[in-house]
Amino acid sequence: MTTIIPNTIIRASAGSGKTYKLSSRYIALLLDGKPAEEILASTFTVKAAGEILQRVLQRLSAAVLDKDKYTELCKSLRDDFGERIPVPNKEKLQSVTAELARNLHRVQVGTLDSFFHKIARSFGLELNLPPDWTMVEDDAYARLLQEAIRNVLKKDTGNASGKINGLLHQWHEEKSTLTITRELVELATKRLSLIREVQKNPAVWDNEILFTKESTDDEIERAVQTLERAEVPQTKTGTPNKNFVKTINKVCTLVRKEGNECWKEFLESSTLIQAVADRTGKYYDKDIPDELDSAVSRLIEQARAALLNKLVRKTRAARELLTLIAQEYDALLYPSGAFRYEDITEKVCRASVDDMISVQMMAHRLDSDLGYLLLDEFQDTSLPQWKIIKPFAIEAKKSGSVFVVGDVKQAIYAWRGGVAEIFDKVEEELEPFDTQELAKSYRSAQPVIDTVNTVFEKIEDNLLFEDETKD
C-alpha cells in the first residue's frame, strides 16, 4: 500500500518539539499499516534514539490506557496529517501497540552509525572485513594510526626525516614543539577521511593550472628599482613626504633581504600596500602617484602568486603524505580487526558508490525493505553518510516517504565530518517536499531565543567567519 503521508522537511529550532513531531510521524506510519521493520528512524546519538523509541511507546500505551491521552494523540495526528490518517479507535491503537511490542527486535530506530554497522555485518566479504572484526574507541584508533605513521617513516628510508620535516615546516609556519609522529597523528586525525574522498580524482591535484605564474628575480628587481625611483608627494616646503619615503625604503629592503620568503610580511608591512591593493588611491591623505602605484601593484601580484603557489605545494605534500598513511592504516586494519564507526562508514560508502552493494541487496540481507525514512538531526550528517542514505531516500520517495528534520544553527559535529550544507541541499536533490518550520521553543524563554536569533541572523557578516563565508 502506497503511503498517503507526504515527504516532509522540517526546519526545527532547539526545543521546538521535533522529537514529538518525529514520533507522531512514526505512529502515523504504524497506523497506516506500515511494518516497523520498514521504517528507519535515525538520529545522531544513542541517547536521542532511545528517546524517540521511548516517546513512541509511551504515547501509544498512554493512549490505550488513558482517555485524555487518547484524545490528545488523535488531535495531534489530525493537526499533522488531517484526513490522511483516519482517527484510530482504541482497538486499533491496542493492536498497533501490541504488534510493535512483539517486534521490538525488528525495530529500526538508532543512529546512522549503528545502521551502517548492521549493513557491514551483512556484507563482511564484499567489504573485505575479517570474520572477527570489532568496533574500537578513539584511543585504540590513535594507537593504530601511530603505528601506521611509524611504518611510513621506516619505509621512507634515507630522506624520510627531511621530507617530513619539510612538510611540517610548510604546514606549521611556526616552529613546532611536538614530535614528528605526534604532528602527523594530529594532521591525519583531522584529514584522513578527506583524503579518501579526493583520492578518487587524483588528476586534479596534478593539474598545472593550479599554479600561478610568478615574476623572475630580474623582474622583481626591476619593480623594486622602479619603486625606489618613483616620485612621491611633496611637503609644503618642497621636500619628499617622509611617510612615503620611509615606507618605500622599508619595502625595498624587505624584498631584497628576504627574497621569496618575504611575501607574507610584505603584504602586512605597510598601509601603503593595503591602500594600493584596495585601490583607494590615497596614503596619509595624499594621492598615490601612478608610477609608484604601478610598481607596488606588480609586487603585490608577485606576492599573491608566490603565496598561492606555496599553498598548492603545501597541500600537495600533505596529500602525498596522508595517502601513504592511509595506505598503511588500511593495511593494518584487516589483521587488527579493529574498526571505528568512521572506518565502517567509509567502507560501506565506497561499496555503495562503486555499485558493489545496492539498496536491493542491502534490503535482502537486512530482511527489510526500508520504504520510510525518518532522519533526525540531519544538519550533522557527513558526506559519506549521505552518500549511503541517498539511494534509500530515492527508493523511499517512489513508494514510501521521507521525513527530514534538522536545524543548521545546531550543527555541532563538523569535527566528525558533519556537513550542515547537506541539509540545505537535500530538498533540491529529492524534491518535491512539504517544507515546514518549527520556530516556537518550548524549552527556552523568549529573551534567550531573541538573543540566539540576533546572533545568527547576520552571522555571515561577522569578521571572525570572513574566510569561511567567502567560500
Side-chain angles (χ1 to χ4, degrees):
M1 177 170 56
T2 301
T3 184
I4 52 179
I5 301 176
N7 301 299
T8 305
I9 285 182
I10 294 183
R11 300 179 183 276
S13 299
S16 59
K18 61 184 179 63
T19 303
Y20 187 86
K21 285 283 187 181
L22 193 146
S23 66
S24 292
R25 177 87 171 202
Y26 196 101
I27 291 170
L29 289 170
L30 293 177
L31 292 172
D32 198 33
K34 308 302 185 284
E37 62 267 24
E38 294 184 9
I39 307 170
L40 173 65
S42 75
T43 188
F44 205 79
T45 66
V46 174
K47 181 176 182 292
E51 289 173 353
I52 290 172
L53 183 57
Q54 182 182 36
R55 183 72 65 90
V56 170
L57 291 168
Q58 284 179 341
R59 291 181 68 189
L60 282 172
S61 57
V64 170
L65 299 173
D66 185 278
K67 182 179 179 180
D68 291 339
K69 294 296 183 181
Y70 169 76
T71 302
E72 180 185 308
L73 178 61
C74 291
K75 182 180 183 303
S76 173
L77 293 172
R78 179 57 55 85
D79 290 344
D80 285 346
F81 307 105
E83 300 295 333
R84 297 186 183 98
I85 299 295
V87 176
N89 54 38
K90 284 288 189 72
E91 290 72 21
K92 175 70 172 178
L93 277 176
Q94 188 171 359
S95 172
V96 166
T97 306
E99 183 69 15
L100 180 63
R102 282 193 295 267
N103 289 280
L104 283 178
H105 62 290
R106 303 273 292 168
V107 167
Q108 307 262 21
V109 179
T111 63
L112 286 179
D113 282 338
S114 65
F115 177 58
F116 302 150
H117 178 272
K118 190 179 297 185
I119 293 174
R121 285 294 179 193
S122 301
F123 288 90
L125 187 61
E126 289 84 351
L127 299 179
N128 193 30
L129 292 168
D132 56 347
W133 66 275
T134 59
M135 304 303 301
V136 296
E137 299 298 329
D138 288 343
D139 56 344
Y141 163 71
R143 289 194 294 271
L144 204 61
L145 193 57
Q146 288 173 4
E147 186 176 350
I149 291 170
R150 284 194 292 269
N151 288 347
V152 170
L153 299 179
K154 289 176 184 177
K155 286 184 177 180
D156 195 14
T157 56
N159 65 345
S161 296
K163 178 178 180 180
I164 294 168
N165 272 322
L167 167 64
L168 293 176
H169 177 71
Q170 290 184 16
W171 192 269
H172 303 275
E173 293 185 354
E174 298 179 1
K175 185 177 180 181
S176 172
T177 58
L178 299 176
T179 64
I180 287 178
T181 301
R182 287 177 61 193
E183 288 281 353
L184 292 179
V185 167
E186 182 180 352
L187 175 62
T189 300
K190 293 178 179 178
R191 306 298 180 192
L192 204 58
S193 60
L194 175 64
I195 210 67
R196 298 185 192 281
E197 286 293 315
V198 299
Q199 279 176 335
K200 297 170 186 175
N201 194 7
V204 173
W205 294 82
D206 300 322
N207 196 329
E208 292 302 317
I209 199 172
L210 293 173
F211 285 99
T212 305
K213 180 175 171 50
E214 296 187 45
S215 301
T216 64
D217 290 343
D218 289 341
E219 289 170 336
I220 294 172
E221 178 59 29
R222 284 197 293 271
V224 172
Q225 291 176 4
T226 301
L227 185 58
E228 288 176 322
R229 294 193 304 266
E231 292 186 10
V232 299
Q234 303 291 303
T235 65
K236 292 180 179 179
T237 61
T239 58
N241 185 294
K242 65 178 183 180
N243 291 319
F244 278 80
V245 172
K246 180 180 178 181
T247 297
I248 289 172
N249 289 338
K250 177 183 176 181
V251 168
C252 292
T253 300
L254 175 65
V255 172
R256 284 188 172 128
K257 181 179 179 181
E258 300 296 334
N260 208 40
E261 298 299 317
C262 77
W263 298 116
K264 182 178 179 181
E265 186 179 350
F266 162 79
L267 292 175
E268 300 170 347
S269 63
S270 169
T271 52
L272 173 63
I273 308 300
Q274 190 66 47
V276 173
D278 293 343
R279 301 298 181 194
T280 64
K282 295 282 187 179
Y283 181 57
Y284 279 97
D285 293 327
K286 301 292 184 182
D287 291 334
I288 301 175
D290 291 342
E291 185 180 23
L292 191 153
D293 184 280
S294 177
V296 172
S297 294
R298 286 198 294 274
L299 291 175
I300 289 174
E301 285 301 311
Q302 165 56 23
R304 175 180 175 275
L307 291 174
L308 284 174
N309 290 341
K310 181 179 180 180
L311 181 60
V312 171
R313 286 190 290 271
K314 179 178 97 169
T315 306
R316 282 184 170 183
R319 171 248 184 171
E320 180 183 349
L321 184 55
L322 284 171
T323 299
L324 293 173
I325 294 172
Q327 291 170 353
E328 284 296 324
Y329 177 73
D330 289 343
L332 290 170
L333 274 181
Y334 190 92
S336 72
F339 295 84
R340 298 177 305 152
Y341 280 113
E342 289 86 347
D343 298 321
I344 296 301
T345 299
E346 288 288 344
K347 282 184 171 291
V348 175
C349 176
R350 275 183 276 173
S352 177
V353 171
D354 296 341
D355 291 327
M356 291 174 57
I357 56 177
S358 64
V359 170
Q360 291 73 22
M361 291 172 64
M362 286 186 270
H364 177 72
R365 300 251 183 120
L366 296 175
D367 193 25
S368 61
D369 288 313
L370 295 175
Y372 308 92
L373 304 186
L374 284 66
L375 309 175
D376 187 22
E377 303 291 3
F378 199 75
Q379 75 280 350
D380 287 317
T381 303
S382 69
L383 186 58
Q385 287 175 332
W386 173 234
K387 286 183 176 180
I388 300 170
I389 289 295
K390 185 177 178 180
F392 285 97
I394 292 173
E395 289 297 317
K397 285 201 67 191
K398 294 177 181 177
S399 58
S401 67
V402 179
F403 175 87
V404 179
V405 61
D407 177 16
V408 293
K409 296 194 298 293
Q410 297 183 64
I412 59 174
Y413 286 99
W415 59 274
R416 271 202 58 185
V419 182
E421 291 79 4
I422 293 177
F423 184 51
D424 293 326
K425 291 291 183 182
V426 66
E427 184 173 3
E428 59 187 68
E429 289 191 16
L430 298 177
E431 61 179 355
F433 271 95
D434 175 23
T435 303
Q436 303 174 16
E437 289 196 15
L438 298 180
K440 182 179 179 180
S441 177
Y442 298 93
R443 181 186 303 163
S444 303
Q446 193 59 43
V448 175
I449 298 170
D450 292 341
T451 301
V452 171
N453 289 337
T454 299
V455 170
F456 279 92
E457 185 177 14
K458 295 183 178 180
I459 197 168
E460 69 274 7
D461 297 330
N462 193 312
L463 293 178
L464 289 174
F465 302 99
E466 185 178 5
D467 291 339
E468 288 84 352
T469 54
K470 279 183 179 178
D471 294 336

CSV table of all heavy atoms in Angstrom, one decimal, residues 243-279:
chain,number,residue,atom,x,y,z
A,243,ASN,N,56.6,60.0,5.1
A,243,ASN,CA,55.8,58.7,5.3
A,243,ASN,C,56.0,57.8,4.0
A,243,ASN,O,56.2,56.6,4.2
A,243,ASN,CB,54.4,59.0,5.5
A,243,ASN,CG,54.1,59.7,6.8
A,243,ASN,OD1,54.7,59.3,7.8
A,243,ASN,ND2,53.2,60.7,6.8
A,244,PHE,N,56.0,58.4,2.8
A,244,PHE,CA,56.2,57.6,1.6
A,244,PHE,C,57.6,57.1,1.5
A,244,PHE,O,57.8,56.0,1.2
A,244,PHE,CB,55.9,58.5,0.4
A,244,PHE,CG,54.4,58.6,0.1
A,244,PHE,CD1,53.6,59.5,0.8
A,244,PHE,CD2,53.8,57.9,-0.9
A,244,PHE,CE1,52.2,59.6,0.5
A,244,PHE,CE2,52.5,58.0,-1.3
A,244,PHE,CZ,51.7,58.8,-0.6
A,245,VAL,N,58.6,58.0,1.8
A,245,VAL,CA,60.0,57.6,1.7
A,245,VAL,C,60.3,56.5,2.7
A,245,VAL,O,61.0,55.5,2.3
A,245,VAL,CB,60.9,58.9,2.0
A,245,VAL,CG1,62.4,58.4,2.1
A,245,VAL,CG2,60.7,59.9,1.0
A,246,LYS,N,59.9,56.6,3.9
A,246,LYS,CA,60.1,55.6,4.9
A,246,LYS,C,59.5,54.3,4.5
A,246,LYS,O,60.2,53.2,4.6
A,246,LYS,CB,59.6,56.0,6.3
A,246,LYS,CG,59.8,55.1,7.4
A,246,LYS,CD,59.2,55.6,8.7
A,246,LYS,CE,59.4,54.6,9.8
A,246,LYS,NZ,58.8,55.1,11.1
A,247,THR,N,58.3,54.3,4.0
A,247,THR,CA,57.6,53.0,3.6
A,247,THR,C,58.3,52.4,2.4
A,247,THR,O,58.5,51.2,2.4
A,247,THR,CB,56.2,53.3,3.3
A,247,THR,OG1,55.5,53.7,4.5
A,247,THR,CG2,55.5,52.0,2.8
A,248,ILE,N,58.7,53.2,1.4
A,248,ILE,CA,59.4,52.7,0.2
A,248,ILE,C,60.7,52.0,0.6
A,248,ILE,O,61.0,50.9,0.1
A,248,ILE,CB,59.6,53.8,-0.8
A,248,ILE,CG1,58.2,54.2,-1.4
A,248,ILE,CG2,60.5,53.3,-1.9
A,248,ILE,CD1,58.3,55.4,-2.3
A,249,ASN,N,61.5,52.7,1.4
A,249,ASN,CA,62.8,52.1,1.9
A,249,ASN,C,62.6,50.8,2.6
A,249,ASN,O,63.3,49.8,2.4
A,249,ASN,CB,63.5,53.1,2.8
A,249,ASN,CG,64.0,54.3,2.0
A,249,ASN,OD1,64.2,54.2,0.8
A,249,ASN,ND2,64.2,55.4,2.7
A,250,LYS,N,61.5,50.8,3.5
A,250,LYS,CA,61.3,49.6,4.2
A,250,LYS,C,60.9,48.4,3.3
A,250,LYS,O,61.4,47.3,3.5
A,250,LYS,CB,60.1,49.8,5.2
A,250,LYS,CG,59.7,48.6,6.0
A,250,LYS,CD,58.5,49.0,6.9
A,250,LYS,CE,58.0,47.7,7.7
A,250,LYS,NZ,56.8,48.1,8.5
A,251,VAL,N,60.0,48.7,2.4
A,251,VAL,CA,59.5,47.6,1.4
A,251,VAL,C,60.7,47.1,0.6
A,251,VAL,O,60.9,45.9,0.4
A,251,VAL,CB,58.4,48.1,0.6
A,251,VAL,CG1,58.1,47.2,-0.6
A,251,VAL,CG2,57.1,48.4,1.4
A,252,CYS,N,61.5,48.0,0.0
A,252,CYS,CA,62.6,47.6,-0.9
A,252,CYS,C,63.6,46.8,-0.1
A,252,CYS,O,64.1,45.8,-0.6
A,252,CYS,CB,63.2,48.9,-1.5
A,252,CYS,SG,62.2,49.7,-2.7
A,253,THR,N,63.9,47.2,1.1
A,253,THR,CA,64.9,46.5,1.9
A,253,THR,C,64.4,45.1,2.2
A,253,THR,O,65.1,44.1,2.1
A,253,THR,CB,65.2,47.2,3.2
A,253,THR,OG1,65.7,48.5,2.9
A,253,THR,CG2,66.2,46.5,4.1
A,254,LEU,N,63.1,45.0,2.6
A,254,LEU,CA,62.5,43.7,2.9
A,254,LEU,C,62.5,42.7,1.7
A,254,LEU,O,62.9,41.6,1.9
A,254,LEU,CB,61.0,43.9,3.3
A,254,LEU,CG,60.2,42.6,3.6
A,254,LEU,CD1,60.8,41.9,4.8
A,254,LEU,CD2,58.7,43.0,3.8
A,255,VAL,N,62.2,43.2,0.5
A,255,VAL,CA,62.1,42.3,-0.6
A,255,VAL,C,63.5,41.9,-1.0
A,255,VAL,O,63.7,40.7,-1.4
A,255,VAL,CB,61.4,43.0,-1.8
A,255,VAL,CG1,61.5,42.2,-3.1
A,255,VAL,CG2,60.0,43.4,-1.5
A,256,ARG,N,64.5,42.7,-1.0
A,256,ARG,CA,65.8,42.4,-1.3
A,256,ARG,C,66.5,41.4,-0.3
A,256,ARG,O,67.2,40.5,-0.7
A,256,ARG,CB,66.7,43.6,-1.5
A,256,ARG,CG,66.4,44.4,-2.8
A,256,ARG,CD,67.4,45.5,-3.0
A,256,ARG,NE,67.3,46.1,-4.3
A,256,ARG,CZ,67.2,47.4,-4.5
A,256,ARG,NH1,67.1,48.2,-3.5
A,256,ARG,NH2,67.1,47.9,-5.7
A,257,LYS,N,66.2,41.7,0.9
A,257,LYS,CA,66.9,40.9,2.0
A,257,LYS,C,66.3,39.5,2.1
A,257,LYS,O,67.0,38.5,2.3
A,257,LYS,CB,66.7,41.6,3.3
A,257,LYS,CG,67.4,40.9,4.5
A,257,LYS,CD,67.3,41.7,5.8
A,257,LYS,CE,67.9,41.0,6.9
A,257,LYS,NZ,67.8,41.7,8.2
A,258,GLU,N,64.9,39.4,2.1
A,258,GLU,CA,64.3,38.1,2.4
A,258,GLU,C,64.0,37.3,1.2
A,258,GLU,O,63.7,36.1,1.3
A,258,GLU,CB,63.0,38.4,3.2
A,258,GLU,CG,63.2,39.1,4.5
A,258,GLU,CD,64.0,38.3,5.5
A,258,GLU,OE1,63.9,37.0,5.4
A,258,GLU,OE2,64.6,38.9,6.4
A,259,GLY,N,64.0,37.9,0.0
A,259,GLY,CA,63.8,37.1,-1.2
A,259,GLY,C,62.4,36.6,-1.3
A,259,GLY,O,61.4,37.2,-0.9
A,260,ASN,N,62.3,35.3,-1.7
A,260,ASN,CA,61.0,34.7,-1.9
A,260,ASN,C,60.2,34.3,-0.6
A,260,ASN,O,59.1,33.9,-0.6
A,260,ASN,CB,61.1,33.4,-2.7
A,260,ASN,CG,59.9,33.1,-3.5
A,260,ASN,OD1,59.2,34.0,-4.1
A,260,ASN,ND2,59.5,31.8,-3.6
A,261,GLU,N,60.9,34.5,0.5
A,261,GLU,CA,60.3,34.2,1.8
A,261,GLU,C,59.6,35.5,2.4
A,261,GLU,O,59.1,35.5,3.5
A,261,GLU,CB,61.3,33.7,2.8
A,261,GLU,CG,61.9,32.4,2.4
A,261,GLU,CD,60.9,31.3,2.3
A,261,GLU,OE1,60.0,31.2,3.1
A,261,GLU,OE2,60.9,30.5,1.3
A,262,CYS,N,59.6,36.6,1.7
A,262,CYS,CA,59.2,37.9,2.3
A,262,CYS,C,57.8,38.2,2.0
A,262,CYS,O,57.2,39.2,2.6
A,262,CYS,CB,60.1,39.0,1.7
A,262,CYS,SG,59.6,39.5,0.0
A,263,TRP,N,57.1,37.5,1.2
A,263,TRP,CA,55.8,38.0,0.6
A,263,TRP,C,54.7,38.1,1.6
A,263,TRP,O,53.9,39.1,1.5
A,263,TRP,CB,55.4,37.2,-0.6
A,263,TRP,CG,56.5,37.2,-1.7
A,263,TRP,CD1,57.2,36.2,-2.1
A,263,TRP,CD2,56.9,38.4,-2.3
A,263,TRP,NE1,58.1,36.7,-3.1
A,263,TRP,CE2,57.9,38.0,-3.2
A,263,TRP,CE3,56.5,39.7,-2.3
A,263,TRP,CZ2,58.6,38.9,-4.1
A,263,TRP,CZ3,57.2,40.7,-3.1
A,263,TRP,CH2,58.2,40.2,-4.0
A,264,LYS,N,54.6,37.3,2.5
A,264,LYS,CA,53.5,37.4,3.5
A,264,LYS,C,53.8,38.7,4.4
A,264,LYS,O,52.9,39.5,4.6
A,264,LYS,CB,53.4,36.2,4.4
A,264,LYS,CG,52.3,36.3,5.5
A,264,LYS,CD,52.2,35.0,6.3
A,264,LYS,CE,51.1,35.2,7.4
A,264,LYS,NZ,51.0,34.0,8.2
A,265,GLU,N,55.0,38.8,4.8
A,265,GLU,CA,55.4,40.0,5.6
A,265,GLU,C,55.3,41.3,4.7
A,265,GLU,O,54.9,42.3,5.2
A,265,GLU,CB,56.9,39.9,6.1
A,265,GLU,CG,57.3,41.0,7.0
A,265,GLU,CD,58.7,40.8,7.5
A,265,GLU,OE1,59.3,39.7,7.3
A,265,GLU,OE2,59.2,41.7,8.1
A,266,PHE,N,55.6,41.2,3.4
A,266,PHE,CA,55.5,42.3,2.5
A,266,PHE,C,54.0,42.8,2.5
A,266,PHE,O,53.8,44.0,2.6
A,266,PHE,CB,55.9,41.9,1.1
A,266,PHE,CG,55.4,42.8,0.0
A,266,PHE,CD1,56.1,44.0,-0.2
A,266,PHE,CD2,54.3,42.5,-0.7
A,266,PHE,CE1,55.6,44.9,-1.2
A,266,PHE,CE2,53.9,43.3,-1.7
A,266,PHE,CZ,54.5,44.5,-2.0
A,267,LEU,N,53.0,41.9,2.4
A,267,LEU,CA,51.6,42.3,2.3
A,267,LEU,C,51.2,43.0,3.6
A,267,LEU,O,50.2,43.8,3.6
A,267,LEU,CB,50.8,41.1,2.0
A,267,LEU,CG,50.9,40.6,0.6
A,267,LEU,CD1,50.1,39.3,0.4
A,267,LEU,CD2,50.5,41.6,-0.5
A,268,GLU,N,51.8,42.6,4.7
A,268,GLU,CA,51.4,43.2,6.0
A,268,GLU,C,52.3,44.3,6.5
A,268,GLU,O,52.2,44.8,7.6
A,268,GLU,CB,51.5,42.0,7.1
A,268,GLU,CG,50.5,40.9,6.8
A,268,GLU,CD,50.8,39.7,7.7
A,268,GLU,OE1,51.8,39.7,8.4
A,268,GLU,OE2,49.9,38.8,7.7
A,269,SER,N,53.3,44.7,5.7
A,269,SER,CA,54.3,45.6,6.1
A,269,SER,C,53.9,47.1,6.2
A,269,SER,O,54.5,47.8,7.0
A,269,SER,CB,55.5,45.5,5.2
A,269,SER,OG,55.2,45.9,3.8
A,270,SER,N,52.9,47.5,5.4
A,270,SER,CA,52.5,48.9,5.4
A,270,SER,C,51.1,49.1,5.0
A,270,SER,O,50.6,48.3,4.1
A,270,SER,CB,53.5,49.7,4.5
A,270,SER,OG,53.0,51.0,4.3
A,271,THR,N,50.5,50.1,5.4
A,271,THR,CA,49.1,50.5,5.0
A,271,THR,C,49.2,51.0,3.5
A,271,THR,O,48.2,51.1,2.8
A,271,THR,CB,48.5,51.6,5.9
A,271,THR,OG1,49.4,52.7,6.0
A,271,THR,CG2,48.2,51.0,7.2
A,272,LEU,N,50.4,51.4,3.0
A,272,LEU,CA,50.5,51.7,1.6
A,272,LEU,C,50.2,50.6,0.7
A,272,LEU,O,49.5,50.7,-0.3
A,272,LEU,CB,52.0,52.3,1.3
A,272,LEU,CG,52.3,52.5,-0.1
A,272,LEU,CD1,51.4,53.6,-0.7
A,272,LEU,CD2,53.8,52.9,-0.3
A,273,ILE,N,50.7,49.4,1.1
A,273,ILE,CA,50.4,48.2,0.3
A,273,ILE,C,48.9,47.9,0.3
A,273,ILE,O,48.4,47.6,-0.7
A,273,ILE,CB,51.2,47.0,0.9
A,273,ILE,CG1,52.7,47.3,1.1
A,273,ILE,CG2,51.0,45.7,0.0
A,273,ILE,CD1,53.4,47.6,-0.1
A,274,GLN,N,48.3,48.1,1.5
A,274,GLN,CA,46.9,47.8,1.6
A,274,GLN,C,46.1,48.9,0.7
A,274,GLN,O,45.1,48.5,0.1
A,274,GLN,CB,46.4,47.9,3.0
A,274,GLN,CG,45.0,47.5,3.3
A,274,GLN,CD,44.8,46.0,3.0
A,274,GLN,OE1,45.6,45.2,3.5
A,274,GLN,NE2,43.8,45.7,2.3
A,275,ALA,N,46.6,50.1,0.8
A,275,ALA,CA,45.9,51.2,0.0
A,275,ALA,C,45.9,50.9,-1.5
A,275,ALA,O,45.0,51.1,-2.2
A,275,ALA,CB,46.5,52.5,0.3
A,276,VAL,N,47.1,50.4,-2.0
A,276,VAL,CA,47.2,50.1,-3.4
A,276,VAL,C,46.3,48.9,-3.7
A,276,VAL,O,45.7,48.8,-4.8
A,276,VAL,CB,48.7,49.8,-3.8
A,276,VAL,CG1,48.8,49.3,-5.2
A,276,VAL,CG2,49.5,51.1,-3.6
A,277,ALA,N,46.4,47.9,-2.9
A,277,ALA,CA,45.6,46.7,-3.1
A,277,ALA,C,44.1,47.0,-3.1
A,277,ALA,O,43.3,46.4,-3.9
A,277,ALA,CB,45.9,45.6,-2.0
A,278,ASP,N,43.7,47.9,-2.3
A,278,ASP,CA,42.2,48.2,-2.2
A,278,ASP,C,41.8,49.3,-3.2
A,278,ASP,O,40.6,49.7,-3.3
A,278,ASP,CB,41.9,48.7,-0.8
A,278,ASP,CG,42.0,47.6,0.3
A,278,ASP,OD1,42.0,46.4,-0.1
A,278,ASP,OD2,42.1,47.9,1.5
A,279,ARG,N,42.8,49.8,-4.0
A,279,ARG,CA,42.5,50.9,-5.0
A,279,ARG,C,41.9,52.1,-4.4
A,279,ARG,O,41.0,52.7,-5.0
A,279,ARG,CB,41.6,50.3,-6.1
A,279,ARG,CG,42.1,49.1,-6.8
A,279,ARG,CD,43.4,49.4,-7.5
A,279,ARG,NE,44.0,48.3,-8.3
A,279,ARG,CZ,45.2,48.3,-8.7
A,279,ARG,NH1,46.0,49.3,-8.5
A,279,ARG,NH2,45.6,47.2,-9.4
